[in-house]
Amino acid sequence: MPASPGRWLPRLSPATILAGGMIVVIGALMIPPLFILVLNSVSEINPDGSRGAFTLANYARILSQPDLYQSAWNTVLFAALSTAIVLVAGAALAWLVERSNAPFKALAYLTTIAALGTPFVLTTAAWLFVLGRAGPLNDLYRALTGSRGILFNVNSIWGMALIEAIVWMPLVFLMFSAAFRSANAEMEEAARMSGASVLGTFWRVSLRLAWPALAAAAVFVFINTLSAFDVPVLVGVPSNINVLSSDIYFSIREVPPKLEHASAFSVLLIGVISALMLWYGRLARSADRFASVTGKGYRPRPIDLGRLRWVGGSFILATFFIVLVLPLSALIWVAATPFMAPMRLANLKLLTMKNFTAVFDEPSYVQYGTNTVTIAAIAATVAVLLAVVVGWLAARRRPGGALLDQLSTIPMLFPGIVMGVAIMQISLQLPFPIYGTIWVIAYAFVIRAVPFGLRYTYTGVLQIHRELEESAAVSGASQLQLLRRIVVPLMAPAIVSAWLFIFLSVAKELAITVLLSGPQSQTIAVAMFDKASNGQAGELAAFGLVWAALMVLVAGVAYAFMRRHSAGAFGR
C-alpha cells in the first residue's frame, strides 16, 4: 500500500507554523523597501519612470560631485555637534534629577511631557524666531550695544546643532534617567566618604557606571541627527547649508524627479548607518560588564549636594526655561502678533487673536488633524500587534525568533526621508493607485514603527515567568490562546506604552509624510512645514499651539505609562 504524501512531511509544531507565518509577513514588510532602493540605485530610470539597463553610473556621478563631500561634511559636523551638546546637558540633568537632592525635579518631567507632544517642526519654528534677527536674543543685544548687527546667526551649523540638541534633550534625559535610576548608589556614597567632590563622583563613578547608556545614547542620537530632516531643511537650506537628507529631498522634488539619484544617495546613507548600528549592537552586548545592581530589595538613595544643591536646582530651572518656557513664549507671541515683531513692551498694542480665528475658521485643519490621528492610530495598532508576536517568539527563543528579530530591525537602518523615498517608489509601481493616500503613509509608518514597538514587547515578555505559559500549555491551550489569555494580559502595560509612544512619534513625523502625502492626505506635520516654508509664521504658531495642547494631554498619559512600566525601554 503506497504511503500517503503527508507521512513524508515533517510534523511542525504550532509555534513553528506561527513563526513561519510571521517571517513571511515581516519579510514582506521589511525587505521590499531596501530591495527597491538598491535596484533603482543600479538602474537607469527612463523618462516614464520604468527601469532600464544595469549601471553603476549613479554612484559614480554622486561620488564625483564636489557638493556630495560638502554635504557629507556638513552632515557629520551637524550630527557631532548636536550629539555633544545634548549628551552633556542630558546627562547632567538626568543625574541631578535621579541621583541628587536638587530641587525643582518636577520641572524636568513637565518639560519631557510637553516635548513628547510637540512636533519637531513647531519647536524648530519657535527657535528660528527666538534666535532670529527679530528674536529676543538679538534684539536684546542690539538694545544693549547699539549695534545694528546680530549676536548669533541661527542659520548656521551652530544654530542647526543647538536647535537639534534642544529637540532631542527630553528623550536623552529619559535614556539617562533609566540608567541613573537603576545604578547602585553605594559606589557613589563610597566615593563621597573617601573625599571625592560632587563633580569628581559624577565624573569618575556615576558616568562610568552609566557608560553603556552613555555610549548607546551617543550612537542613537548621532544616527538620528545624521538623518535629521526638519532642522536642516528649515534652518540650514535658507543659508545654503545642505546635508545628505536635504539633498535626497530636493532630488525627489525636481521635475522630473531623480529617482535613481535619490536611491543611490539613500543606499550610501544606509551604509553609513548600518556600520553605526553594528557598533551600537556591540555596545549593547557588552553592557552586562557594567551591571552593579542585584537583589529585589535595592532602592537608590539620592546624594546630598550640600551647598551645591541650589546650583543643581538652578541648572534644572535653566533647562526648563530654555527647552520649554522660551520657545513656548515665542510661539504665543508670534501667534498673537500680525507680523514678526520684536518681543517688547511697546509692541503689546499689536496683540491680536486673528491668527487663532483663522485656524478655527479653516476647515482644512480639521482634515489635517483627522488624517494625522487616523494614520498614527493605524500604524500604532498594527505595529504593536506585530511586535507582540515577534517579541514573544524572539524572547522565548522559539524557532525563527532570532530571524524575526533581525528582520524587524531592518527599518532602523532607514532614515525617515529614505523610507519615504523607498515607499514612494513602491507605491508608484503598484497596479492600483495608493500613492498620496493615508493608506500608503500608514503602511510606511507600520514598517518604521515595528522596531520601536519591539523594544517594549520584548522587555515585557522577559518579565513574564515561563511557568505561567508552561502551565497553560499543559492545560491544553493553543499557541494563540496562550498569547491571548496569558501573555497579552500580563504585558498590557508594555503594550499600552508602546502604542502611545508610536502614536506620538508618528503624529510628529515629517520626513516620511512630506514625500508621501497628497492633497487629501496631508498631516499636521506637513501642514506646519508648508506654513513654515511659506513664511506664515503667525498662523503656524497659532495652529501649532492648539495641536500641541491636544498632543500634550496624550503625552501625559504616555509618559505616566512609560515611567511606571517601561522605563528601561530606552536604556536597555
Short mmCIF file of all heavy atoms in Angstrom, two decimals, residues 22 26 376-392 445-447 449-458 488 491-503:
data_model
loop_
_atom_site.label_atom_id
_atom_site.label_comp_id
_atom_site.label_asym_id
_atom_site.label_seq_id
_atom_site.Cartn_x
_atom_site.Cartn_y
_atom_site.Cartn_z
N MET A 22 4.80 34.53 10.52
CA MET A 22 5.30 35.85 10.87
C MET A 22 6.52 36.22 10.05
O MET A 22 6.71 37.38 9.69
CB MET A 22 5.63 35.92 12.36
CG MET A 22 4.41 35.93 13.27
SD MET A 22 3.28 37.29 12.91
CE MET A 22 4.34 38.71 13.21
N ILE A 26 6.55 39.67 8.14
CA ILE A 26 7.59 40.67 8.43
C ILE A 26 8.53 40.84 7.25
O ILE A 26 8.93 41.96 6.91
CB ILE A 26 8.37 40.27 9.70
CG1 ILE A 26 7.44 40.24 10.92
CG2 ILE A 26 9.53 41.22 9.94
CD1 ILE A 26 6.86 41.58 11.28
N ALA A 376 -1.73 57.71 12.60
CA ALA A 376 -0.99 57.34 13.81
C ALA A 376 -1.65 56.16 14.53
O ALA A 376 -0.97 55.25 15.02
CB ALA A 376 -0.89 58.53 14.75
N ALA A 377 -2.99 56.14 14.58
CA ALA A 377 -3.69 55.05 15.26
C ALA A 377 -3.53 53.73 14.51
O ALA A 377 -3.29 52.67 15.12
CB ALA A 377 -5.17 55.40 15.41
N ILE A 378 -3.65 53.78 13.17
CA ILE A 378 -3.48 52.55 12.38
C ILE A 378 -2.06 52.02 12.52
O ILE A 378 -1.84 50.82 12.76
CB ILE A 378 -3.81 52.83 10.89
CG1 ILE A 378 -5.30 53.12 10.71
CG2 ILE A 378 -3.39 51.64 10.03
CD1 ILE A 378 -5.66 53.57 9.31
N ALA A 379 -1.08 52.90 12.35
CA ALA A 379 0.32 52.47 12.43
C ALA A 379 0.65 51.90 13.80
O ALA A 379 1.31 50.86 13.92
CB ALA A 379 1.24 53.64 12.10
N ALA A 380 0.19 52.57 14.86
CA ALA A 380 0.49 52.11 16.22
C ALA A 380 -0.17 50.76 16.49
O ALA A 380 0.44 49.86 17.07
CB ALA A 380 0.03 53.14 17.24
N THR A 381 -1.42 50.60 16.05
CA THR A 381 -2.14 49.36 16.32
C THR A 381 -1.51 48.18 15.59
O THR A 381 -1.25 47.12 16.19
CB THR A 381 -3.62 49.51 15.92
OG1 THR A 381 -4.19 50.61 16.64
CG2 THR A 381 -4.40 48.25 16.21
N VAL A 382 -1.28 48.33 14.29
CA VAL A 382 -0.72 47.22 13.51
C VAL A 382 0.70 46.91 13.96
O VAL A 382 1.08 45.73 14.12
CB VAL A 382 -0.75 47.56 12.00
CG1 VAL A 382 -0.08 46.45 11.19
CG2 VAL A 382 -2.18 47.76 11.53
N ALA A 383 1.51 47.95 14.18
CA ALA A 383 2.91 47.73 14.59
C ALA A 383 2.98 47.02 15.94
O ALA A 383 3.81 46.12 16.14
CB ALA A 383 3.65 49.06 14.65
N VAL A 384 2.12 47.39 16.88
CA VAL A 384 2.15 46.76 18.20
C VAL A 384 1.67 45.31 18.11
O VAL A 384 2.23 44.43 18.77
CB VAL A 384 1.30 47.57 19.19
CG1 VAL A 384 1.07 46.78 20.47
CG2 VAL A 384 1.99 48.88 19.51
N LEU A 385 0.65 45.04 17.31
CA LEU A 385 0.19 43.66 17.14
C LEU A 385 1.32 42.77 16.60
O LEU A 385 1.54 41.65 17.09
CB LEU A 385 -1.01 43.61 16.19
CG LEU A 385 -2.34 44.14 16.74
CD1 LEU A 385 -3.39 44.16 15.63
CD2 LEU A 385 -2.82 43.27 17.90
N LEU A 386 2.02 43.26 15.59
CA LEU A 386 3.16 42.51 15.06
C LEU A 386 4.28 42.38 16.09
O LEU A 386 4.89 41.31 16.24
CB LEU A 386 3.69 43.19 13.80
CG LEU A 386 2.75 43.22 12.58
CD1 LEU A 386 3.34 44.07 11.47
CD2 LEU A 386 2.48 41.81 12.07
N ALA A 387 4.54 43.46 16.82
CA ALA A 387 5.63 43.45 17.79
C ALA A 387 5.35 42.51 18.95
O ALA A 387 6.28 41.93 19.52
CB ALA A 387 5.87 44.87 18.32
N VAL A 388 4.08 42.34 19.33
CA VAL A 388 3.75 41.41 20.41
C VAL A 388 4.14 39.98 20.03
O VAL A 388 4.79 39.27 20.80
CB VAL A 388 2.24 41.48 20.74
CG1 VAL A 388 1.82 40.31 21.62
CG2 VAL A 388 1.92 42.80 21.46
N VAL A 389 3.75 39.58 18.82
CA VAL A 389 4.06 38.20 18.39
C VAL A 389 5.56 38.03 18.18
O VAL A 389 6.15 37.04 18.65
CB VAL A 389 3.29 37.86 17.10
CG1 VAL A 389 3.59 36.42 16.67
CG2 VAL A 389 1.79 38.04 17.31
N VAL A 390 6.19 38.97 17.50
CA VAL A 390 7.63 38.87 17.26
C VAL A 390 8.40 38.93 18.57
O VAL A 390 9.35 38.16 18.78
CB VAL A 390 8.10 40.01 16.31
CG1 VAL A 390 9.62 40.01 16.19
CG2 VAL A 390 7.47 39.84 14.94
N GLY A 391 8.00 39.81 19.48
CA GLY A 391 8.68 39.92 20.76
C GLY A 391 8.57 38.64 21.58
O GLY A 391 9.55 38.23 22.21
N TRP A 392 7.42 38.01 21.54
CA TRP A 392 7.23 36.75 22.28
C TRP A 392 8.09 35.63 21.68
O TRP A 392 8.78 34.91 22.41
CB TRP A 392 5.76 36.37 22.27
CG TRP A 392 5.48 35.06 22.96
CD1 TRP A 392 5.58 34.80 24.30
CD2 TRP A 392 5.06 33.85 22.34
NE1 TRP A 392 5.25 33.50 24.56
CE2 TRP A 392 4.92 32.88 23.37
CE3 TRP A 392 4.77 33.48 21.03
CZ2 TRP A 392 4.51 31.58 23.12
CZ3 TRP A 392 4.36 32.18 20.77
CH2 TRP A 392 4.24 31.25 21.81
N PHE A 445 4.60 53.92 7.98
CA PHE A 445 4.81 54.07 9.41
C PHE A 445 4.72 52.73 10.15
O PHE A 445 5.36 52.56 11.19
CB PHE A 445 3.82 55.07 10.00
CG PHE A 445 4.24 56.49 9.83
CD1 PHE A 445 3.46 57.39 9.13
CD2 PHE A 445 5.44 56.95 10.37
CE1 PHE A 445 3.84 58.71 8.97
CE2 PHE A 445 5.84 58.26 10.22
CZ PHE A 445 5.04 59.14 9.51
N VAL A 446 3.94 51.79 9.65
CA VAL A 446 3.94 50.45 10.26
C VAL A 446 5.33 49.84 10.17
O VAL A 446 5.86 49.30 11.16
CB VAL A 446 2.90 49.54 9.56
CG1 VAL A 446 3.11 48.07 9.95
CG2 VAL A 446 1.48 49.96 9.92
N ILE A 447 5.94 49.94 8.99
CA ILE A 447 7.29 49.40 8.82
C ILE A 447 8.26 50.09 9.77
O ILE A 447 9.07 49.44 10.44
CB ILE A 447 7.75 49.59 7.35
CG1 ILE A 447 6.83 48.81 6.41
CG2 ILE A 447 9.19 49.15 7.18
CD1 ILE A 447 7.10 49.06 4.94
N ALA A 449 7.67 51.66 12.55
CA ALA A 449 7.34 51.60 13.97
C ALA A 449 7.57 50.24 14.61
O ALA A 449 7.71 50.16 15.84
CB ALA A 449 5.89 52.02 14.18
N VAL A 450 7.62 49.17 13.83
CA VAL A 450 7.75 47.83 14.41
C VAL A 450 8.99 47.71 15.31
O VAL A 450 8.90 47.16 16.42
CB VAL A 450 7.75 46.76 13.31
CG1 VAL A 450 8.22 45.40 13.86
CG2 VAL A 450 6.36 46.61 12.72
N PRO A 451 10.18 48.19 14.91
CA PRO A 451 11.34 48.06 15.81
C PRO A 451 11.15 48.76 17.15
O PRO A 451 11.60 48.27 18.18
CB PRO A 451 12.48 48.70 15.01
CG PRO A 451 12.05 48.65 13.60
CD PRO A 451 10.57 48.80 13.62
N PHE A 452 10.46 49.90 17.15
CA PHE A 452 10.26 50.62 18.40
C PHE A 452 9.25 49.89 19.29
O PHE A 452 9.43 49.81 20.50
CB PHE A 452 9.78 52.05 18.11
CG PHE A 452 10.77 52.86 17.35
CD1 PHE A 452 10.64 53.04 15.98
CD2 PHE A 452 11.86 53.43 17.98
CE1 PHE A 452 11.57 53.78 15.27
CE2 PHE A 452 12.80 54.18 17.28
CZ PHE A 452 12.65 54.34 15.92
N GLY A 453 8.20 49.34 18.68
CA GLY A 453 7.27 48.53 19.46
C GLY A 453 7.92 47.29 20.02
O GLY A 453 7.62 46.85 21.14
N LEU A 454 8.87 46.72 19.26
CA LEU A 454 9.57 45.51 19.70
C LEU A 454 10.41 45.76 20.95
O LEU A 454 10.57 44.86 21.79
CB LEU A 454 10.44 44.99 18.56
CG LEU A 454 11.12 43.64 18.76
CD1 LEU A 454 10.09 42.55 19.01
CD2 LEU A 454 11.96 43.29 17.54
N ARG A 455 10.93 46.96 21.13
CA ARG A 455 11.72 47.28 22.31
C ARG A 455 10.87 47.16 23.57
O ARG A 455 11.37 46.78 24.63
CB ARG A 455 12.32 48.68 22.20
CG ARG A 455 13.34 48.83 21.10
CD ARG A 455 13.83 50.25 20.98
NE ARG A 455 14.65 50.63 22.13
CZ ARG A 455 15.94 50.37 22.23
NH1 ARG A 455 16.56 49.70 21.28
NH2 ARG A 455 16.62 50.76 23.29
N TYR A 456 9.61 47.51 23.47
CA TYR A 456 8.71 47.41 24.61
C TYR A 456 8.24 45.97 24.82
O TYR A 456 8.26 45.45 25.94
CB TYR A 456 7.49 48.31 24.40
CG TYR A 456 7.76 49.78 24.57
CD1 TYR A 456 8.16 50.56 23.49
CD2 TYR A 456 7.62 50.39 25.80
CE1 TYR A 456 8.40 51.90 23.64
CE2 TYR A 456 7.86 51.75 25.96
CZ TYR A 456 8.26 52.50 24.88
OH TYR A 456 8.51 53.84 25.03
N THR A 457 7.78 45.32 23.76
CA THR A 457 7.18 44.00 23.92
C THR A 457 8.22 42.95 24.29
O THR A 457 7.92 42.04 25.08
CB THR A 457 6.46 43.58 22.63
OG1 THR A 457 7.38 43.59 21.52
CG2 THR A 457 5.32 44.55 22.33
N TYR A 458 9.41 43.05 23.74
CA TYR A 458 10.47 42.10 24.09
C TYR A 458 10.78 42.16 25.58
O TYR A 458 10.85 41.13 26.27
CB TYR A 458 11.73 42.41 23.27
CG TYR A 458 12.86 41.42 23.43
CD1 TYR A 458 12.98 40.34 22.57
CD2 TYR A 458 13.81 41.57 24.45
CE1 TYR A 458 14.03 39.43 22.71
CE2 TYR A 458 14.85 40.68 24.59
CZ TYR A 458 14.96 39.61 23.73
OH TYR A 458 15.98 38.70 23.88
N VAL A 488 -0.58 38.45 26.57
CA VAL A 488 -1.08 39.81 26.32
C VAL A 488 -1.62 40.47 27.58
O VAL A 488 -1.28 41.64 27.87
CB VAL A 488 -2.13 39.79 25.19
CG1 VAL A 488 -2.83 41.15 25.08
CG2 VAL A 488 -1.47 39.43 23.86
N MET A 491 1.32 41.55 29.88
CA MET A 491 2.19 42.60 29.36
C MET A 491 1.39 43.79 28.84
O MET A 491 1.90 44.61 28.05
CB MET A 491 3.12 42.06 28.28
CG MET A 491 2.41 41.50 27.06
SD MET A 491 3.58 40.77 25.87
CE MET A 491 4.51 42.22 25.38
N ALA A 492 0.15 43.92 29.29
CA ALA A 492 -0.70 45.03 28.84
C ALA A 492 -0.07 46.41 29.08
O ALA A 492 -0.16 47.28 28.20
CB ALA A 492 -2.07 44.94 29.52
N PRO A 493 0.57 46.65 30.24
CA PRO A 493 1.20 47.97 30.41
C PRO A 493 2.26 48.27 29.35
O PRO A 493 2.33 49.40 28.84
CB PRO A 493 1.81 47.88 31.81
CG PRO A 493 0.99 46.87 32.52
CD PRO A 493 0.64 45.86 31.48
N ALA A 494 3.08 47.28 29.02
CA ALA A 494 4.10 47.49 27.99
C ALA A 494 3.46 47.72 26.63
O ALA A 494 3.95 48.55 25.83
CB ALA A 494 5.05 46.30 27.93
N ILE A 495 2.37 47.03 26.35
CA ILE A 495 1.67 47.20 25.07
C ILE A 495 1.08 48.60 24.96
O ILE A 495 1.20 49.27 23.93
CB ILE A 495 0.57 46.13 24.91
CG1 ILE A 495 1.20 44.75 24.76
CG2 ILE A 495 -0.33 46.44 23.72
CD1 ILE A 495 0.20 43.61 24.76
N VAL A 496 0.44 49.06 26.04
CA VAL A 496 -0.14 50.41 26.03
C VAL A 496 0.96 51.46 25.88
O VAL A 496 0.81 52.44 25.13
CB VAL A 496 -0.96 50.65 27.31
CG1 VAL A 496 -1.44 52.09 27.38
CG2 VAL A 496 -2.16 49.70 27.36
N SER A 497 2.07 51.28 26.59
CA SER A 497 3.18 52.22 26.48
C SER A 497 3.72 52.27 25.06
O SER A 497 3.99 53.36 24.53
CB SER A 497 4.30 51.83 27.45
OG SER A 497 3.88 51.95 28.78
N ALA A 498 3.87 51.10 24.44
CA ALA A 498 4.37 51.05 23.06
C ALA A 498 3.40 51.75 22.11
O ALA A 498 3.82 52.51 21.24
CB ALA A 498 4.57 49.60 22.64
N TRP A 499 2.10 51.50 22.30
CA TRP A 499 1.10 52.10 21.42
C TRP A 499 1.14 53.62 21.53
O TRP A 499 1.14 54.34 20.53
CB TRP A 499 -0.29 51.58 21.77
CG TRP A 499 -1.33 51.89 20.74
CD1 TRP A 499 -1.74 51.10 19.71
CD2 TRP A 499 -2.09 53.12 20.62
NE1 TRP A 499 -2.70 51.73 18.96
CE2 TRP A 499 -2.94 52.97 19.50
CE3 TRP A 499 -2.13 54.30 21.35
CZ2 TRP A 499 -3.83 53.97 19.10
CZ3 TRP A 499 -3.00 55.30 20.96
CH2 TRP A 499 -3.84 55.14 19.85
N LEU A 500 1.18 54.12 22.75
CA LEU A 500 1.18 55.57 22.95
C LEU A 500 2.45 56.21 22.41
O LEU A 500 2.41 57.28 21.79
CB LEU A 500 1.02 55.88 24.44
CG LEU A 500 -0.37 55.63 25.03
CD1 LEU A 500 -0.32 55.69 26.55
CD2 LEU A 500 -1.38 56.63 24.49
N PHE A 501 3.59 55.57 22.63
CA PHE A 501 4.86 56.12 22.15
C PHE A 501 4.86 56.18 20.62
O PHE A 501 5.27 57.18 20.02
CB PHE A 501 6.03 55.29 22.64
CG PHE A 501 7.36 55.77 22.16
CD1 PHE A 501 7.98 56.86 22.75
CD2 PHE A 501 8.01 55.15 21.11
CE1 PHE A 501 9.20 57.33 22.30
CE2 PHE A 501 9.23 55.59 20.65
CZ PHE A 501 9.83 56.69 21.25
N ILE A 502 4.42 55.10 19.96
CA ILE A 502 4.38 55.08 18.49
C ILE A 502 3.39 56.11 17.98
O ILE A 502 3.65 56.82 17.00
CB ILE A 502 4.04 53.66 17.99
CG1 ILE A 502 5.18 52.70 18.32
CG2 ILE A 502 3.78 53.67 16.49
CD1 ILE A 502 4.85 51.25 18.03
N PHE A 503 2.22 56.20 18.62
CA PHE A 503 1.21 57.16 18.20
C PHE A 503 1.78 58.58 18.21
O PHE A 503 1.63 59.34 17.25
CB PHE A 503 0.00 57.07 19.12
CG PHE A 503 -1.11 58.04 18.80
CD1 PHE A 503 -2.10 57.70 17.89
CD2 PHE A 503 -1.15 59.29 19.39
CE1 PHE A 503 -3.11 58.61 17.57
CE2 PHE A 503 -2.15 60.20 19.09
CZ PHE A 503 -3.14 59.85 18.18
#
